[in-house]
């Protein structure tokens, strides 16, 4: 498989610089088509009336959102014009409550979505919503990074035999095939299971047949949380990429990031490839 379509979402001018360090070099390295959505956020709420407000106030809010999206679109076009990649940049005006629907719809047709860490201090309040929408609504793999990942040489796959972990492993096959080593990391494997005698054996064989160089690593959870154990292993092995399933729970029929996934997004010191 190849990453034919790379998608990223931009909602402020800082995101333009991040895009040129993340999605752009990734698209160039994988000969991908780069799709950029430039979002203008319309904070007005149709149907809600505030005393003293007039229709001009709401029109002005919409106009500002349109101008924001168009300004970002122009800036992104300029940044990509001479970079030697196929791309298209689209402006979109959304409200805070609908940005997830838009991202989910567009993510369905992308091979990978590349976004910066959503919980960084400089990120907007809707940044986690964009990640959630791509993962749970679009069912697309999401690469979380603030820099060019190049070709990761040392990868850690967080493995627990779940459907989410399988999905993440499948989406990351091109990375595994080119890496020098992949640690299939299992934290406290169950004592009584069908794979008790060979934990991680099936996934290791799959990765090897795709040209990877996997090694199964069993780790004991001596720290309070599994996410802490994952982080320790990634740091100790100087890994370049962590691949893991993204977990969530339902809130008003919408999946939101679960605690373990959110903690890794907050504390990971290396790029994360997530899939649900």
């Amino acid at each position: 498989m190849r990453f034919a379509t790379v998608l990223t979402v931009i909602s402020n001018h800082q995101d333009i610089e991040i895009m040129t360090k993340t999605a752009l070099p990734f698209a160039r390295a994988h000969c991908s088509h780069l799709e950029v959505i430039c979002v203008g956020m319309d904070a007005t709420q149709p149907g809600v009336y505030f005393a003293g407000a007039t229709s001009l106030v709401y029109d002005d809010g919409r106009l500002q959102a349109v101008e924001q999206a168009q300004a970002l679109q122009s800036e992104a076009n300029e940044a990509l014009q001479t970079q030697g990649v196929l791309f298209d940049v689209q402006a979109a005006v959304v409200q805070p409550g609908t940005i997830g629907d838009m991202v989910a719809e567009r993510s369905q047709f992308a091979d990978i979505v590349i976004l910066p860490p959503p919980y960084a201090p400089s990120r907007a309040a809707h940044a986690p919503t964009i990640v959630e929408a791509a993962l749970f609504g679009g069912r697309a793999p999401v690469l979380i990074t603030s820099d060019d990942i190049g070709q990761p040489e040392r990868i850690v796959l967080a493995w627990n035999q779940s459907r989410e972990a399988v999905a993440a492993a499948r989406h990351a096959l091109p990375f595994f095939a080119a890496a020098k080593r992949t640690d299939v990391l299992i934290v406290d494997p169950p004592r009584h299971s069908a794979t008790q005698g060979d934990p991680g054996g099936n996934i290791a064989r799959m990765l090897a047949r795709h040209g990877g160089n996997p090694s199964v690593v069993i780790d004991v959870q001596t720290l309070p949380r599994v996410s802490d154990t994952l982080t320790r292993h990634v740091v100790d092995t100087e890994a370049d990429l962590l691949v893991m399933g993204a977990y969530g729970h339902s809130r008003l029929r919408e999946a939101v990031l679960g605690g373990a996934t959110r903690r890794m997004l907050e504390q990971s010191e290396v790029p994360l490839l997530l899939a649900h």
Side-chain angles (χ1 to χ4, degrees):
M1 63 169 287
R2 60 180 287 259
F3 301 109
T5 302
V6 176
L7 175 69
T8 192
V9 181
I10 289 173
S11 59
N12 57 56
H13 294 286
Q14 181 190 27
D15 289 345
I16 303 287
E17 180 181 357
I18 295 174
M19 175 198 67
T20 61
K21 295 192 300 182
T22 57
L24 171 58
F26 187 97
R28 184 187 294 117
H30 294 269
C31 299
S32 310
H33 189 108
L34 176 59
E35 293 190 354
V36 182
I37 303 176
C38 297
V39 175
M41 193 65 68
D42 177 10
T44 60
Q45 301 180 50
V48 179
Y49 175 78
F50 295 96
T54 68
S55 61
L56 294 177
V57 173
Y58 298 103
D59 290 343
D60 186 59
R62 178 76 178 181
L63 179 60
Q64 288 182 17
V66 170
E67 291 175 346
Q68 178 190 11
Q70 291 177 342
L72 291 173
Q73 181 184 33
S74 177
E75 190 174 346
N77 270 312
E78 184 178 352
L80 296 172
Q81 203 68 244
T82 61
Q83 296 301 317
V85 297
L86 295 173
F87 71 92
D88 66 82
V89 182
Q90 298 182 12
V93 175
V94 298
Q95 294 187 321
T98 63
I99 188 171
D101 294 335
M102 183 272 292
V103 172
E105 193 276 331
R106 292 298 301 273
S107 298
Q108 294 179 83
F109 307 102
D111 296 302
I112 192 167
V113 180
I114 300 180
L115 298 168
Y119 295 109
S122 60
R123 301 305 299 159
H126 57 259
T129 301
I130 294 175
V131 175
E132 293 167 5
L135 283 169
F136 302 123
R139 292 299 177 95
V142 177
L143 176 63
I144 302 294
T145 181
S146 56
D147 210 342
D148 178 14
I149 69 167
Q151 172 51 59
E153 295 187 351
R154 183 74 180 254
I155 301 175
V156 174
L157 169 62
W159 184 249
N160 61 0
Q161 303 184 65
S162 66
R163 178 182 62 81
E164 292 83 358
V166 173
R170 289 190 184 280
H171 286 300
L173 285 175
F175 295 116
F176 296 135
K180 292 182 178 179
R181 171 172 171 149
T182 295
D183 285 357
V184 178
L185 178 61
I186 306 172
V187 179
D188 281 349
R191 295 184 179 182
H192 304 288
S193 69
T195 60
Q196 177 183 356
D198 187 21
N202 290 331
I203 186 63
R205 278 188 288 274
M206 186 182 92
L207 300 188
R209 289 169 182 169
H210 279 272
N213 184 25
S215 297
V216 177
V217 179
I218 309 295
D219 205 343
V220 178
Q221 186 180 342
T222 57
L223 298 173
R225 297 176 295 207
V226 172
S227 59
D228 297 328
T229 303
L230 292 176
T231 299
R232 179 181 62 187
H233 184 84
V234 166
V235 172
D236 288 348
T237 59
E238 299 182 344
D240 304 307
L241 177 69
L242 173 62
V243 178
M244 61 180 288
Y247 305 93
H249 55 270
S250 178
R251 182 180 67 190
L252 298 178
R253 295 179 298 174
E254 292 184 2
V256 297
L257 295 171
T261 306
R262 173 168 178 151
R263 281 193 291 272
M264 290 310 302
L265 284 167
E266 291 174 334
Q267 70 188 42
S268 179
E269 299 184 19
V270 299
L272 281 173
L273 181 66
L274 302 169
H276 178 69

